[in-house]
């Protein structure tokens, strides 16, 4: 497990490259794209262009920071999907060419699996990893899933959103409040100063372990629209309470189904992954489950929550050991089902 693997991530709006040796991350460089801020969401065309500009400098700096030469790499791992096709093509094409040039194996990685497998990064020798089977709440801008993880590459999605993802709910609520994209981190920040019980929203009524967040967005929009009719300054006066209330509602809903999943499966080892796992209230709420429900909770380090190439590199490392390589004909996929 001491091989050097380069991971490349370009599925959405972050260009990232990381070098891992064994399970230890030597570098994890991320170039965020600020071009999308004014648009309220990621503009795919602009994202692919920015990836094209960023990819070589990001890879060069990942190798430099890891203090290794490209000829020392054992394999190149890249995100094949899901994500924006134009963005994925930049990372995929670069990875294929680089692996061909260096004459080393190419390894495809599924972005959502990688978010979960980030839990197997061990930067310090004492870092604990979850035992199988465990449940993972995977919450990002595009996904909200409860995954039953039986082994590194044996995962079953037992709960899923039927419409918006949790990250999308954060981002859309932020947009309604006039906050820039991505709104999740700003809602988190403002919530610390607000009252989470100031406003109430109806709970989604979806059976089983599935989620729905689109109705919540609509009730948030209507509440604000109605109050604005009476008071034009309603948002400015209540922004912290609005953030705290919508955040509390989203987190309670995430937790309700996760608790149900734990009860139904009898599994008490629970992890969280994806961009929304950076949320401070979600992290605290999950940690409190250790005391109240006897869970063993795994929360990724902050730098491995939102999109990063370290998670691609660890997944690549785990596949490298199994010799699961990809050939040069590989093309990216936008959705997990379209492989
Ligand atoms: O995993 P990620 O970086 O990209 C996707 O694969 O989608 O997740 C991005 C999402 C965005 O919706 C962003 O608003 C949300 O994660 N996010 C947060 C926080 N940090 C990022 N949501 C709530 N609280 C945060 N602190
Ligand atoms: Zn992601």
């Amino acid at each position: 497990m001491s091989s050097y693997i380069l991971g490349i991530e370009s599925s959405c709006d972050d260009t990232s490259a990381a070098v891992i040796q064994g399970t230890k991350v030597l570098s994890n460089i991320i170039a965020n794209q600020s071009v999308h801020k004014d648009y309220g969401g990621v503009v795919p065309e602009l994202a692919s262009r920015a990836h094209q500009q960023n990819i070589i400098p990001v890879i060069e700096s990942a190798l430099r920071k890891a203090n290794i030469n490209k000829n020392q790499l054992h394999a190149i791992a890249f995100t094949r999907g899901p994500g924006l096709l134009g963005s994925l093509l930049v990372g995929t094409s670069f990875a294929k060419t680089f692996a061909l040039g260096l004459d080393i194996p190419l390894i495809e990685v599924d972005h959502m699996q990688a978010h979960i497998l980030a839990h197997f990064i061990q930067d310090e020798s004492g870092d604990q990893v979850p035992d199988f089977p465990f449940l993972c709440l995977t919450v990002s801008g595009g996904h909200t899933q409860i995954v039953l993880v039986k082994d590194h590459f044996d995962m079953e999605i037992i709960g899923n959103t039927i419409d918006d993802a949790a990250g999308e709910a954060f981002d859309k609520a932020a947009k309604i409040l006039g906050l820039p994209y991505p709104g999740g981190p700003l809602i988190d920040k403002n919530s610390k100063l607000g009252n989470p019980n100031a406003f109430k929203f109806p709970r989604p009524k979806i059976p089983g372990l599935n989620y729905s967040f689109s109705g919540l967005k609509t009730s948030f929009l209507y509440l604000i629209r109605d109050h604005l009719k009476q008071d034009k300054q309603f948002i400015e006066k209540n922004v912290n309470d609005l953030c705290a209330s919508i955040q509390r509602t989203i987190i309670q809903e995430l937790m309700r189904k996760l608790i149900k999943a734990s009860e139904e499966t009898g599994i008490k080892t629970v992890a969280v992954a994806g961009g929304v796992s950076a949320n401070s209230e979600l992290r605290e709420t999950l940690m409190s489950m250790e005391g109240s429900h006897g869970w063993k909770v795994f929360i990724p380090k902050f730098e491995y929550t939102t999109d990063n190439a370290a998670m691609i590199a660890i997944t690549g490392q785990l596949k490298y050991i199994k010799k699961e390589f990809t050939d040069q004909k590989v093309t990216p996929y936008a959705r997990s089902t379209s492989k």
Side-chain angles (χ1 to χ4, degrees), residues 12-318:
C12 192
D13 59 339
D14 296 307
T15 320
S16 181
V19 176
I20 201 163
Q21 182 184 26
T23 55
K24 186 177 159 66
V25 174
L26 302 183
S27 61
N28 182 34
I29 307 294
I30 304 172
N32 303 114
Q33 302 180 0
S34 53
V35 289
H36 310 289
K37 272 209 166 63
D38 299 336
Y39 296 90
V42 176
V43 185
E45 189 81 5
L46 297 178
S48 2
R49 275 192 238 173
H51 282 304
Q52 196 90 63
Q53 286 172 342
N54 293 340
I55 193 145
I56 293 191
V58 162
I59 288 172
E60 277 176 348
S61 83
L63 290 169
R64 206 177 315 119
K65 173 108 192 284
N67 202 18
I68 66 159
N69 176 297
K70 63 181 186 304
N71 296 313
Q72 290 173 266
L73 291 171
H74 292 88
I76 313 283
F78 69 99
T79 307
R80 184 177 167 203
L84 302 169
L85 218 50
S87 292
L88 289 163
L89 273 166
V90 177
T92 305
S93 307
F94 189 89
K96 285 165 76 168
T97 317
F98 206 25
L100 192 67
L102 293 171
D103 195 22
I104 55 176
L106 178 67
I107 300 172
E108 66 177 76
V109 169
D110 180 274
H111 181 89
M112 296 314 294
Q113 271 192 355
H115 268 301
I116 297 174
L117 295 174
H119 283 284
F120 294 89
I121 293 171
Q122 287 169 295
D123 286 335
E124 317 293 334
S125 56
D127 284 352
Q128 282 195 22
V129 302
D131 287 328
F132 300 115
F134 65 92
L135 295 175
C136 189
L137 175 69
T138 311
V139 268
S140 70
H143 294 81
T144 298
Q145 298 174 336
I146 301 176
V147 184
L148 169 56
V149 187
K150 300 171 202 167
D151 203 347
H152 291 126
F153 297 102
D154 186 1
M155 302 185 187
E156 186 188 338
I157 298 167
I158 58 172
N160 212 338
T161 180
I162 60 162
D163 42 54
D164 290 353
E168 228 173 328
F170 272 102
D171 296 338
K172 286 181 177 171
K175 192 174 178 186
I176 294 169
L177 294 173
L179 301 171
Y181 178 86
L186 294 167
I187 293 205
D188 190 356
K189 191 168 157 228
N190 294 342
S191 294
K192 294 197 169 90
L193 305 168
N195 171 8
N197 299 311
F199 301 99
K200 293 278 175 220
F201 304 100
R203 199 170 80 183
K205 292 191 179 58
I206 306 297
L209 298 175
N210 287 338
Y211 290 107
S212 165
F213 289 105
S214 69
L216 185 59
K217 175 200 66 192
T218 312
S219 31
F220 190 68
L221 181 68
Y222 286 175
L223 176 125
I224 290 183
R225 192 193 57 185
D226 292 348
H227 278 89
L228 279 176
K229 283 186 197 147
Q230 324 289 332
D231 178 2
K232 289 208 159 37
Q233 250 116 49
F234 174 71
I235 295 182
E236 288 87 330
K237 287 181 192 160
N238 297 281
V239 66
N240 294 334
D241 287 350
L242 286 164
C243 286
S245 302
I246 192 80
Q247 175 168 297
R248 176 63 57 88
T249 312
I250 295 170
I251 289 173
Q252 276 185 346
E253 185 55 14
L254 290 173
M255 292 305 297
R256 199 167 66 87
K257 295 296 174 88
L258 191 58
I259 292 169
K260 190 171 158 68
S262 166
E263 283 168 358
E264 284 180 9
T265 58
I267 297 172
K268 287 182 175 239
T269 304
V270 181
V272 62
V276 181
S277 65
N279 184 272
S280 52
E281 186 177 341
L282 178 60
R283 293 165 87 94
E284 280 160 28
T285 310
L286 277 164
M287 280 322 294
S288 75
M289 296 300 287
E290 293 208 332
S292 63
H293 285 66
W295 286 8
K296 177 94 185 99
V297 173
F298 287 84
I299 295 180
K301 276 193 196 155
F302 197 75
E303 61 265 38
Y304 306 140
T305 54
T306 48
D307 289 348
N308 66 87
M311 69 186 197
I312 307 303
I314 183 73
T315 308
Q317 185 70 273
L318 293 164

